[in-house]
Amino acid sequence: MDKVDASAHYQGVTEDKPSLLVVVLDTNPFAWQSLHSELPLQTALSHILLFLNAHLSFSHANRVAVIASHTKSATFLYPNSAAAAETAETSVDLYRDANKYRLFASIERQVQSSMQRLLSSTAPESLAGTNETTMAGALSLALAYINRVCNADNLSDSGEGSGGGARPGEARADTASMTARILVVSVSGDLANQYVSVMNSIFAAQRQRVPIDICKIAGDTVFLQQASDSTNGIYMQLQHPSALLQYLLSCFMSDPSTRHHLIPPSQINVDFRAACFCHKRVVDIGFVCSICLSIFCSPPPGAICTTCNTKLDVSALGNYGGKPAVVLMKKKKIKKAKKVLNDSAADSSTPGTPVA
Amino acid sequence: MSTVKGLTTFKKKDGTLQLTRDIVTWAPAAPPNSPPTVTIQVGNIENLQATPATSVKVMIKIFTKEGDTSESYVFNFTAASARAEADAMKAALSDAIAAAKAGTAVPGGPGGASSATIAATAAGASTTELMNEARLAKDMDLQMSLLKSDAALSNTFREAVMLGTVTSEQFWSTRTHLLRAHALEKSQARAPYNVLSTFRVNTIDGAPKMSLSREQIAEIFRTHPLVKKVYDENVPRVPEDQFFSRFFLSRLFKTLKGDKLSPADPMDVVFDRYLNREDEEYTRKRRKVDHVPLTIDLEGNEQNISKNRGNAPDVTMRPSRMENVPVIRTLNSISLQILNLVAPTDTSKVGEGSGEDSRDRDEEYIASQRLTDLGGDPEEERIILNIQDQRKFFSNEDGGKTQNRFAGMDAASVLQTLRQDLGDKPFDIADLLPGGGEDDEDVDEPNPAAASASKAGFHSATKQVTEAVRDRSSQLLTLSTGTNSALATGGLPREVFDAVQSVHATTNEFLRHFWLAFLSGDEKRAKDINSMVTSLRNSKERIEAVAKNAEEQREELKVQRKKDLHEEYKKTGIKPKKKDMEVGGGKKVVDEMLGPTLVAIDKALAKYQAALDEAERLTPGGGGTAAATPVGIAA
């Protein structure tokens, strides 16, 4: 009421918003090692850097950030204050290079040096038994950074302080000074262990209207597909990883405001399955706690929800999901049969089970 | 309430059945003036049955329920006028039962207290009645009317129930929500509305035309009794169609509708006579309001701040018949009338307007006007979630299967190679980009083979992207164009497409019941499973038949198209383009459309087969299982 919102009348203003691109790079060493013959990490990094340069070339005000989703941690590769200090110390002459735009050079240096530092600081022991990387952490970092750049800056810029960040969710995207998107370059597989946190990040992104694009070089995850689908991002499974740059430039170049006018190259078949909270399995049919909506692959032991400790009434389920009774049999025999079946199911791998 | 009597036999004894207030009594006739041997509270009556009017015997059967015990009584009417007596008794009984259920049981009656409690339970039942699943499942009329209103559902019903093996109960058991919604929808009556304002005059060929249905006329008469009066008094003289055409042009119509009159409006001898008569009609119909809450009682204003002196109130606030504000007055009276026609929802409170009660209602009224957001925040009633540390469960299954992808890789050596790859010095990205190192001879020059490989990769990548875009755009196009275009049906002829839709819906129905029965683990449903499996097998055949039919149709169309094009070529001399020769549809499209359905059927059948084999192995009849059973018990 105290402020006339005039921005809506100037279409041009909204269309020309600068864009922030946050690249989340999956740095699972095993995965990159197995990709080595097709796409060495170094080459991939150079492709991504060139892509960042292309993004920056669109507008002065465009910004980028690179986050590494490593095996045990998620860190910023750019902007990275430690790397910045280092590059400033060691290579002052870098900025004298007349053949390169200074910003490009500085980003390249920082990303490379922080990447090198990240790898050299990784202890081999810490890699044991890791199949996936901290994607949830990286996404959270990205969202926090986006929020800071898009909204916190907006607040201080506009000065009035009445609009902008103070308003809840939906309105924020309109008043933000920048549009933002996240590009996940993923090489490792399943994220089932981080299901809850990944889904939370997805919902946060959805609310902030931040599309999450997925560039899937290797591996297969259900949840990243859902991420791109629910945030209106683009999902692309690369058939030819060596041509990463071509994919990046042709699929992921357009910023959110341009995308309204384009047909996305997204693949449409989305796997909407969820992972159960108890064993982190991806389930077709599951059981949902009526209080906290936790998902279970089988009714939890003692009918108590493991997340919220609610006593659940499983009697309504009856024998649901139990052994299908296909043929009419006398009751006694079914009981016996079930017992055998359960025993054999429990240790089907061990040799010498009676049924086998 | 008067007493209703009837001569009846009960348990083969003569006697008198009598209904006084809300008690039914039966006294034997044998010893005169003997006390009644049967006494029934009307509130306890559950059901009432009477022999039809055509039957010779005249009997009334009363079912009662008190607590958990149910009983029934049969009274046989014996008097000469048995039928009349029975009818009177039946009517009186039903009235008494209805009164007892509505909660306004005859006051002062000996069973007042008990009937009140019964009324309360009865009222509770009526609200939950719609929600009762068993009741919905039995309500054939409701189901029929739902099927009538939903063509797709009715189609599925026909295919699955009437022609298939799904029973009606099964079919509805998964659709209770639909039935419930439909029951609610049906139970709602349309409220009266300003019917006159809904008429629009369409001008066809310069002449104003208007269509009027019987219902609309009835509605007009209901909301505007004045029109009915005019109609009654004039119609035999004036032909009906002429009556209405004149009515819609008349000043009366404009006034009733709430339009402003202008001097240019045509005069009408018939209708203008009634122009000023509306008021008396309205006042006659007006509902008596016995109590106005003091907070909104305008009479109070008059006493409190009299407007008799000083400035007169605004023109709209004056209770006069000023002719210059007819629009406001008409609109007001129309709203008033519509409100009068609405059945009041707060009947329970009206009618008991004793002094104390009305004060309560005043307070209630004030409470409802209070601005709640000015008060403090109410205490929030939230469900407490005891969220436990999630990490506890994370480690549960870890390590078991996770290592499959990167098994056998040595962490140290992997890290070593990566570090080497990356080097420790900044590298120039230009060297590593495709074609980047061309003019730099000293960098490890990609050999021609590698260059061509990268080129191929580049092209196939572009191809993948453009294909994805093309796929997507065709899908978007399908979405934006309606269902009738050839694109939406995949080039299939309409009837083939309908067949595809129908077979899909039915198969889904079968699948749904199959899984419900299969997963229920209830051995009683084994029969259901078997019948569903048969249906699923049939579904497969039906899909094949549809595909075959589509292919035949396509061939026919192809021949037809070829002929057409050839004739056109003969006529115009323009060679037909190859694109025009193509005909869409056929088996391929059907298979594509129903592919997922086929997969689902196969999966269901495979699961069934597996379970069947398992079960057969475990039955005593199968070989080797005789030994298995005792071992199983021992284990």
Side-chain angles (χ1 to χ4, degrees):
Chain A
M1 236 193 267
D2 50 347
K3 181 185 159 195
V4 177
D5 184 19
S7 62
H9 303 294
Y10 295 97
Q11 283 295 312
V13 177
T14 50
E15 304 251 322
D16 281 352
K17 268 185 193 169
S19 173
L20 167 65
L21 168 67
V22 181
V23 175
V24 173
L25 177 61
D26 185 342
T27 55
N28 187 341
F30 294 118
W32 281 109
Q33 181 62 33
S34 51
L35 271 172
H36 190 266
S37 56
E38 253 185 306
L39 181 71
L41 177 60
Q42 202 184 8
T43 316
L45 211 54
S46 63
H47 285 194
I48 291 167
L49 285 172
L50 187 91
F51 173 63
L52 293 181
N53 291 350
H55 173 75
L56 289 172
S57 321
F58 272 112
S59 159
H60 275 303
N62 276 5
R63 293 174 72 168
V64 293
V66 185
I67 296 169
S69 159
H70 205 52
T71 46
K72 286 276 190 286
S73 65
T75 47
F76 273 102
L77 296 181
Y78 174 88
N80 184 318
S81 51
E86 187 185 296
T87 35
E89 268 173 35
T90 55
S91 47
V92 190
D93 59 324
L94 176 77
Y95 299 120
R96 297 229 176 117
D97 187 352
N99 289 324
K100 195 161 240 172
Y101 180 42
R102 192 173 139 172
L103 183 61
F104 291 175
S106 105
I107 291 174
E108 281 166 23
R109 269 312 126 76
Q110 279 192 40
V111 169
Q112 285 171 19
S113 64
S114 41
M115 188 74 196
Q116 282 154 2
R117 186 158 343 96
L118 178 69
L119 281 181
S120 57
S121 67
T122 313
E125 305 82 57
S126 71
L127 293 185
T130 48
N131 189 19
E132 48 186 62
T133 55
T134 53
M135 191 51 74
L139 283 176
S140 312
L141 269 186
L143 285 168
Y145 184 75
I146 287 170
N147 187 48
R148 201 180 83 200
V149 170
C150 293
N151 296 311
D153 289 3
N154 181 39
L155 260 188
S156 56
D157 284 351
S158 60
E160 296 140 288
S162 56
R167 278 190 222 156
E170 301 296 326
R172 211 174 283 166
D174 298 331
T175 55
S177 58
M178 293 183 107
T179 58
R181 67 186 195 272
I182 298 173
L183 168 65
V184 178
V185 180
S186 167
V187 288
S188 28
D190 216 356
L191 288 176
N193 280 1
Q194 304 170 40
Y195 173 68
V196 183
S197 4
V198 168
M199 283 324 265
N200 283 339
S201 307
I202 292 173
F203 294 136
Q206 203 178 16
R207 210 172 147 68
Q208 296 270 25
R209 294 196 202 159
V210 173
I212 300 179
D213 298 337
I214 308 295
C215 176
K216 195 92 190 106
I217 300 179
D220 189 26
T221 56
V222 173
F223 309 121
L224 288 183
Q225 273 187 37
Q226 291 181 20
S228 72
D229 182 73
S230 53
T231 57
N232 268 332
I234 295 165
Y235 184 90
M236 181 53 79
Q237 171 102 41
L238 308 197
Q239 284 165 2
H240 311 278
S242 59
L244 173 64
L245 182 61
Q246 175 65 8
Y247 283 108
L248 289 175
L249 289 178
S250 55
C251 296
F252 302 108
M253 201 64 240
S254 53
D255 65 9
S257 49
T258 320
R259 277 184 198 177
H260 297 301
H261 311 289
L262 298 175
I263 292 170
S266 222
Q267 282 137 349
I268 308 112
N269 303 324
V270 185
D271 190 340
F272 282 112
R273 286 180 303 170
C276 70
F277 287 23
C278 44
H279 303 96
K280 307 294 162 200
R281 288 188 200 124
V282 180
V283 290
D284 290 324
I285 299 176
F287 299 85
V288 178
C289 168
S290 50
I291 303 298
C292 65
L293 303 182
S294 300
I295 303 160
F296 301 99
C297 55
S298 58
I304 292 171
C305 171
T306 51
T307 309
C308 65
N309 260 337
T310 314
K311 181 95 178 72
L312 301 170
D313 179 19
V314 286
S315 61
L317 289 174
N319 200 11
Y320 189 85
K323 153 121 182 69
V326 197
V327 203
L328 267 174
M329 280 188 282
K330 274 173 199 142
K331 221 170 191 165
K332 250 187 188 169
K333 277 175 188 142
I334 276 203
K335 267 186 193 158
K336 278 181 198 166
K338 249 186 202 164
K339 199 164 165 62
V340 176
L341 188 83
N342 288 345
D343 289 345
S344 64
D347 43 19
S348 52
S349 54
T350 47
T353 6
V355 199
Chain B
M1 192 181 281
S2 62
T3 306
V4 185
K5 276 187 191 176
L7 284 178
T8 58
T9 58
F10 175 63
K11 291 189 176 160
K12 290 182 183 167
K13 275 185 207 161
D14 285 329
T16 315
L17 184 68
Q18 186 172 334
L19 172 71
T20 318
R21 291 213 176 95
D22 58 346
I23 299 179
V24 182
T25 53
W26 183 83
N33 292 329
S34 60
T37 52
V38 178
T39 312
I40 305 165
Q41 296 276 354
V42 168
N44 289 345
I45 295 179
E46 268 230 314
N47 201 358
L48 202 62
Q49 280 182 357
T51 48
T54 48
S55 81
V56 186
K57 276 188 178 175
V58 186
M59 288 190 285
I60 281 186
K61 194 171 184 184
I62 299 174
F63 296 86
T64 63
K65 187 169 188 180
E66 194 165 7
D68 287 336
T69 54
S70 314
E71 273 183 272
S72 65
Y73 307 87
V74 183
F75 300 104
N76 199 345
F77 286 79
T78 52
S81 58
R83 174 54 61 188
E85 271 182 13
D87 284 347
M89 176 62 77
K90 204 176 83 185
L93 261 176
S94 353
D95 283 351
I97 292 168
K101 284 220 170 118
T104 51
V106 192
S114 73
S115 64
T117 56
I118 280 162
T121 52
S126 71
T127 50
T128 53
E129 198 174 290
L130 285 174
M131 300 299 144
N132 188 344
E133 247 171 73
R135 212 191 161 87
L136 286 170
K138 275 188 207 139
D139 195 341
M140 286 286 266
D141 292 343
L142 182 72
Q143 290 164 6
M144 287 309 290
S145 102
L146 176 58
L147 286 180
K148 251 179 222 160
S149 66
D150 189 341
L153 191 68
S154 130
N155 209 15
T156 315
F157 184 81
R158 193 167 48 81
E159 298 276 340
V161 180
M162 293 158 83
L163 303 174
T165 49
V166 180
T167 65
S168 175
E169 288 80 37
Q170 280 174 341
F171 183 82
W172 291 115
S173 69
T174 53
R175 289 184 174 77
T176 318
H177 59 289
L178 290 180
L179 283 175
R180 193 168 291 156
H182 192 67
L184 281 174
E185 198 185 322
K186 273 182 75 179
S187 69
Q188 281 171 343
R190 185 169 182 176
Y193 57 101
N194 186 0
V195 75
L196 291 181
S197 65
T198 60
F199 292 110
R200 295 273 175 279
V201 179
N202 300 321
T203 312
I204 301 168
D205 303 333
K209 284 256 161 96
M210 186 181 241
S211 59
L212 194 63
S213 69
R214 278 281 141 209
E215 290 81 43
Q216 280 171 319
I217 293 175
E219 187 71 21
I220 293 175
F221 286 164
R222 211 155 65 84
T223 34
H224 300 282
L226 183 65
V227 182
K228 184 158 172 36
K229 198 178 158 204
V230 182
Y231 181 86
D232 288 344
E233 285 175 11
N234 294 291
V235 157
R237 268 192 302 116
V238 186
E240 187 174 4
D241 53 338
Q242 208 189 331
F243 172 82
F244 279 107
S245 60
R246 276 167 74 176
F247 168 65
F248 284 113
L249 294 172
S250 72
R251 290 180 167 212
L252 183 65
F253 171 69
K254 286 192 96 174
T255 327
L256 289 177
K257 192 180 161 192
D259 281 348
K260 208 167 187 174
L261 287 180
S262 77
D265 285 329
M267 307 289 256
D268 191 301
V269 240
V270 176
F271 291 101
D272 286 355
R273 280 191 286 138
Y274 298 90
L275 254 182
N276 291 320
R277 281 215 223 160
E278 49 196 306
D279 281 344
E280 72 184 278
E281 284 291 336
Y282 295 158
T283 39
R284 200 144 48 96
K285 283 282 284 184
R286 188 167 298 163
R287 190 194 302 153
K288 203 173 136 257
V289 179
D290 43 35
H291 175 77
V292 180
L294 291 176
T295 31
I296 54 166
D297 193 355
L298 288 181
E299 297 283 320
N301 276 356
E302 203 48 47
Q303 290 171 24
N304 202 13
I305 317 161
S306 173
K307 294 265 170 55
N308 287 337
R309 292 177 196 174
N311 289 339
D314 180 75
V315 81
T316 54
M317 296 296 284
R318 272 180 245 172
S320 67
R321 307 189 64 188
M322 297 283 288
E323 282 307 311
N324 53 350
V325 281
V327 179
I328 297 165
R329 298 179 61 78
T330 329
L331 285 179
N332 270 342
S333 64
I334 290 172
S335 319
L336 204 72
Q337 256 182 304
I338 290 173
L339 272 182
N340 278 342
L341 288 170
V342 176
T345 50
D346 50 355
T347 38
S348 58
K349 286 177 188 168
V350 182
E352 308 162 37
S354 62
E356 214 170 297
D357 216 41
S358 65
R359 200 175 308 131
D360 281 354
R361 272 162 59 208
D362 266 355
E363 265 159 31
E364 221 170 80
Y365 189 83
I366 294 169
S368 73
Q369 301 297 304
R370 203 160 276 149
L371 297 175
T372 42
D373 53 345
L374 293 183
D377 288 333
E379 201 162 307
E380 287 180 31
E381 290 170 36
R382 292 188 171 163
I383 299 170
I384 296 170
L385 294 184
N386 301 307
I387 306 287
Q388 296 170 337
D389 190 0
Q390 296 277 325
R391 267 169 300 184
K392 204 165 83 189
F393 323 118
F394 281 8
S395 51
N396 274 2
E397 199 93 334
D398 250 8
K401 54 173 181 137
T402 45
Q403 281 303 313
N404 48 7
R405 253 193 88 213
F406 305 120
M409 281 194 182
D410 179 37
S413 69
V414 163
L415 267 181
Q416 191 58 36
T417 19
L418 275 185
R419 274 180 212 152
Q420 260 172 17
D421 265 5
L422 215 54
D424 51 359
K425 282 197 210 82
F427 55 86
D428 193 354
I429 62 167
D431 296 343
L432 292 155
L433 294 175
E438 264 170 32
D439 46 10
D440 261 334
E441 258 99 77
D442 51 297
V443 204
D444 52 332
E445 178 78 67
N447 53 41
S452 72
S454 86
K455 213 163 211 172
F458 169 83
H459 283 303
S460 32
T462 318
K463 208 170 144 222
Q464 190 196 345
V465 174
T466 43
E467 260 168 24
V469 171
R470 204 168 293 140
D471 271 7
R472 193 64 194 261
S473 67
S474 75
Q475 287 205 349
L476 289 176
L477 216 63
T478 316
L479 284 179
S480 58
T481 57
T483 44
N484 280 325
S485 74
L487 261 178
T489 61
L492 292 175
R494 191 74 227 172
E495 63 273 15
V496 177
F497 187 67
D498 285 345
V500 168
Q501 272 187 325
S502 139
V503 80
H504 175 255
T506 337
T507 311
N508 272 0
E509 185 70 24
F510 291 145
L511 278 172
R512 174 148 44 163
H513 288 293
F514 171 76
W515 286 114
L516 271 180
F518 189 76
L519 290 173
S520 70
D522 187 353
E523 63 192 276
K524 281 184 208 131
R525 302 195 63 176
K527 230 169 128 189
D528 291 350
I529 299 182
N530 288 335
S531 73
M532 283 309 133
V533 166
T534 327
S535 303
L536 284 175
R537 291 205 175 112
N538 290 342
S539 280
K540 265 179 101 167
E541 280 164 22
R542 288 182 59 200
I543 290 174
E544 269 163 35
V546 169
K548 206 174 144 214
N549 183 21
E551 192 62 28
E552 280 164 9
Q553 295 250 8
R554 182 169 173 246
E555 289 303 322
E556 266 175 40
L557 207 67
K558 228 174 170 176
V559 173
Q560 183 66 33
R561 180 74 60 86
K562 215 169 180 178
K563 218 167 112 192
D564 288 354
L565 285 172
H566 193 70
E567 248 155 51
E568 201 176 304
Y569 171 60
K570 267 194 198 160
K571 254 191 251 166
T572 58
I574 301 168
K575 271 198 177 172
K577 284 177 198 145
K578 208 182 170 194
K579 202 178 159 198
D580 292 336
M581 297 284 278
E582 280 168 14
V583 178
K587 190 175 183 324
K588 199 173 138 255
V589 180
V590 174
D591 284 347
E592 250 170 45
M593 281 177 169
L594 292 174
T597 312
L598 278 173
V599 171
I601 295 177
D602 286 340
K603 169 139 187 177
L605 289 179
K607 280 264 178 190
Y608 169 75
Q609 199 55 47
L612 193 67
D613 291 348
E614 191 92 49
E616 264 168 16
R617 245 180 331 137
L618 293 167
T619 44
T625 39
T629 323
V631 180
I633 290 164

